[in-house]
Amino acid sequence: RPPRSTQGVSSAASDVYKRQTGESATVNFEEHIEVIRHTINYVDGRLPVIAGTGANSTSEALDLTKEAKIIGANYALIVTPYYNKPSQKGLIEHYTKIADSVDIPQILYNVPSRTACDLLPDTAMILSNHKNIVGIKEAVNQTQRFKELVSISQSNETFKVYSGDDPTFLQFLKEGGHGVISVAANVIPKAISSICLAIREENIEDANEINKKYSELYDLLFIESNPIPVKWILYK
């Protein structure tokens, strides 16, 4: 299985497309770190590795992020604390504590459908000013949300915005997003990479054509809770 902490940047579309999906919430600390270590060893410097190090406990997220840096991860992807439902002030304190404590580039991860916690654009803007917070993975499908996040990145070029929603990621890229952290990319990596490259080269027609072929797949990958469908497809 490809857990969330095995993310890597595509060699075909560096800094644009990444594969993501997994069960990090169900493994213990040692298993989580071992997955990251195994990935780093397997990649062997060929690609940057983004380690998923989020947790609903600030101290656990901090420890995971520290350990990921020690064993050689290039970035950390840190999901909002699930279950706790922190306020926006609480989110700022949570992420700032980790960013202050670990000198590794960190990507915020907002997926309220799974965490019951929504990191709002205004909060992301505040956090984007921290030197160690370099981007956000946004899984809320709202055009206005896309535009607000892209506006933040335009005023702060070190802060990148990535889609976390396969069915709408192409529209996100058209709005100015920098890439996608994708479930479908585990199944069709070349196609997702090609879409990102086409957008980067401003070839919208090719991007639309490729994306259209896989619209049904995007839906099927979420017909049950992720990662059940993608694991079944990879098994087959």
Side-chain angles (χ1 to χ4, degrees):
R1 68 190 183 190
R4 177 160 45 205
S5 47
T6 66
Q7 293 162 28
V9 180
S10 163
S11 58
S14 179
D15 296 329
V16 173
Y17 132 71
K18 305 167 182 71
R19 288 178 289 180
Q20 176 273 336
T21 206
E23 301 174 27
S24 66
T26 64
V27 296
N28 63 35
F29 188 95
E30 290 74 20
E31 292 170 329
H32 194 139
I33 294 302
E34 184 54 34
V35 168
I36 298 172
R37 179 181 291 108
H38 175 81
T39 304
I40 291 168
N41 291 339
Y42 183 83
V43 168
D44 194 25
R46 292 172 293 174
L47 301 169
V49 172
I50 303 176
T53 60
N56 65 332
S57 160
T58 301
S59 61
E60 182 179 353
L62 179 54
D63 289 343
L64 283 168
T65 306
K66 284 180 177 177
E67 192 64 26
K69 174 181 168 59
I70 290 170
I71 62 179
N74 303 100
Y75 298 83
L77 177 69
I78 305 175
V79 71
T80 56
Y82 43 89
Y83 182 79
N84 302 337
K85 294 187 177 181
S87 65
Q88 298 302 302
K89 182 176 183 292
L91 288 171
I92 292 169
E93 293 184 2
H94 173 81
Y95 281 113
T96 300
K97 175 68 174 178
I98 300 168
D100 284 345
S101 303
V102 191
D103 189 19
I104 185 174
Q106 297 166 31
I107 301 172
L108 313 172
Y109 178 12
N110 188 45
V111 55
S113 63
R114 304 199 67 141
T115 63
C117 172
D118 190 5
L119 194 162
L120 299 177
D122 286 347
T123 303
M125 181 173 64
I126 293 169
L127 291 169
S128 71
N129 293 315
H130 197 292
K131 66 181 181 67
N132 285 333
I133 296 178
V134 300
I136 184 170
K137 173 187 174 183
E138 178 58 71
V140 173
N141 174 21
Q142 294 176 0
T143 300
Q144 184 58 34
R145 178 74 62 101
F146 298 167
K147 292 179 178 178
E148 289 181 40
L149 292 173
V150 168
S151 177
I152 294 170
S153 71
Q154 289 172 341
S155 62
N156 181 354
E157 293 184 356
T158 64
F159 188 78
K160 308 298 183 184
V161 293
Y162 301 97
S163 170
D165 183 62
D166 285 342
T168 62
F169 90 93
L170 177 55
Q171 184 59 37
F172 189 94
L173 297 185
K174 291 177 181 177
E175 296 287 348
H178 295 95
V180 57
I181 300 180
S182 167
V183 174
N186 290 279
V187 182
I188 50 169
K190 185 176 181 180
I192 300 297
S193 177
S194 296
I195 292 168
C196 293
L197 282 173
I199 290 294
R200 174 176 278 185
E201 296 169 357
E202 299 184 358
N203 193 338
I204 306 300
E205 185 175 343
D206 280 359
N208 287 336
E209 184 176 346
I210 299 168
N211 192 66
K212 186 177 179 180
K213 293 178 182 178
Y214 298 105
S215 59
E216 186 176 5
L217 175 64
Y218 299 152
D219 292 336
L220 289 173
L221 283 168
F222 295 93
I223 198 168
E224 292 187 19
S225 295
N226 178 50
I228 296 169
V230 70
K231 287 180 67 176
W232 184 85
I233 291 173
L234 291 174
Y235 168 72
K236 288 297 182 179

